[in-house]
Each structure stands twice: as structure tokens, then as C-alpha cells.
Amino acid sequence: MTKPLQVLLISGSVRAASTNTAVLTTVQHIAPEGVRAVMYTGLARLPHFNPDDDRDPLHPEVAALRTHIKAADALLFSTPEYAGSLPGSFKNLLDWSIGGGEMNGQPVAWINAAGCGAPTGAVDAHATLLKVLSYTGSVVVEGACMRLPVERRMVGNQDTITDPAVRTQLMVVIEQLARHLRAASS
Ligand SMILES: Cc1cc2nc3c(=O)[nH]c(=O)nc-3n(C[C@H](O)[C@H](O)[C@H](O)COP(=O)(O)O)c2cc1C
């Protein structure tokens, strides 16, 4: 039996009722056969990035983050924008991801789920995300990146998106990412 492709889902929001986390939780639920989508849940527990601490023994949360990234075939991000940029906690995660080198050459994609509560449509956060990713050495899979507005009313009681059209588009994202990974490994 072929090993399933492992996709690590990373939400840039620590808010309990986050639409971005709901988007990724939905991806986890609808991932097709042969794809194992794993949610990273440690964002709020990461220490503040400090280059002095980027050495062994690493803080256990940093070590766990790097282990998750290393184990993944690809990463899928969904992040809000705060004050014209990435949320500080998410930028902190990205800062920690650089020193270990685990993302070097790793395929990544993003979903911009900003809805009508996001006045600038989170475009600056995504421009920053691309800039930061260029420092990690990761490879952006353009065909699996999507601008997909999600409203808070679309989040159901299982913290997943109920809107059928959005769910269909999320299926497209994960299938495109899987297609890229399979093509790259063949
Ligand atoms: C303090 C604050 C600043 C924000 N700044 C922006 C912004 O600059 N651009 C934008 O498009 N949305 C902005 N928003 C809206 C959030 O991105 C939006 O509420 C988003 O849904 C939050 O994501 P979440 O539901 O995953 O937590 C801001 C929200 C807050 C609370």
C-alpha cells in the first residue's frame, strides 16, 4: 500500500472561532483518499523567537513544530491579516521555521479566506507571507493557492464550513496540492 501524502495544516489565527482554522478543519475532513491532512495546534504555545534560543536543546514546542514540518510532504496555510500584515504569532512561527531548514524545498500553498469582516481582503498579509516564505526556501504551489472568501456565518457547529460551494473549492485546493506532490515524486 502506498504511503499517504501528509499535508500539515497551519492556521495563522489563535482565535477560538477562527474562520481560517475552520477552513483548514474542513480540509482535514474532506481530504481525499491517499491524503492525510494534519492540523498543527501549537501556535499559541510557541515561545517568542530569539536567535539565541535557536540551538539545542530547543524549546519542546519549537522542536515539535520542526518535527511536524519535517514529517509533512507539504504545508497548507490559512491566515488572517491584522493591521496590514501577518498576525504576530504566525510570523513568530515562520521565524522559528527558518533556522531548522525543514521547509527548504518543501511545497507550500495558502488559502486567503478573508471575508467581508476583513476590510483589505488580507492582501498585504499574503504579500508578506510570500516574502517570508521566500526566506524559508519553500516552493509555492501556485495551482493550489486560492482566494476564497469565507464569512463567519458559514462556520457550522463542528467548526467546519457548511457552505457547499466553499467546500467544493477546498476540495479543489487539496486535490491540486496532492496532484502536484504525486507529479513531483513520479
Ligand atoms: C485588530 C484587528 C486588525 C485587523 N486588521 C485587518 C487588516 O488590516 N486587513 C484585513 O483585511 N482584515 C483585518 N482584520 C480583520 C480580520 O482579518 C478578520 O476578522 C478575520 O476574520 C480574522 O480571522 P479569524 O476569523 O481566522 O480569526 C483585523 C481584525 C482585527 C481584530
Side-chain angles (χ1 to χ4, degrees):
M1 211 169 97
T2 18
K3 193 171 152 275
L5 297 169
Q6 188 151 313
V7 177
L8 184 64
L9 309 171
I10 302 182
S11 171
S13 177
V14 293
R15 207 168 65 81
S18 159
T19 48
N20 288 278
T21 306
V23 159
L24 295 177
T25 304
T26 309
V27 169
Q28 199 175 18
H29 283 231
I30 66 175
E33 210 182 314
V35 178
R36 187 165 168 260
V38 178
M39 184 72 79
Y40 172 71
T41 57
L43 182 64
R45 295 190 301 270
L46 284 172
H48 293 164
F49 177 68
N50 181 343
D52 293 342
D53 299 332
D54 197 354
R55 61 169 70 100
D56 287 329
L58 285 169
H59 186 289
E61 289 293 339
V62 176
L65 169 69
R66 291 183 177 177
T67 301
H68 282 300
I69 293 175
K70 197 170 179 186
D73 296 298
L75 309 184
L76 179 61
F77 301 108
S78 185
T79 183
E81 174 169 308
Y82 290 140
S85 193
L86 293 174
S89 49
F90 180 46
K91 174 64 165 57
N92 186 52
L93 176 150
L94 293 169
D95 289 342
W96 275 120
S97 74
I98 291 170
E102 292 82 8
M103 280 173 72
N104 200 14
Q106 193 169 40
V108 297
W110 51 261
I111 298 165
N112 178 352
C116 62
T120 60
V123 287
D124 291 323
H126 286 79
T128 304
L129 177 61
L130 285 183
K131 186 174 184 178
V132 177
L133 288 175
S134 73
Y135 287 87
T136 66
S138 56
V139 179
V140 178
V141 182
E142 300 285 349
C145 297
M146 194 178 279
R147 169 83 179 97
L148 183 62
V150 173
E151 306 305 336
R152 288 184 184 178
R153 61 176 165 74
M154 295 177 181
V155 181
N157 52 13
Q158 281 191 304
D159 293 333
T160 54
I161 308 296
T162 51
D163 185 275
V166 171
R167 292 175 72 93
T168 301
Q169 290 306 304
L170 292 176
M171 183 62 99
V172 170
V173 167
I174 192 72
E175 281 177 344
Q176 286 286 93
L177 193 52
R179 195 167 299 132
H180 172 92
L181 294 175
R182 289 198 185 100
S185 69
S186 64

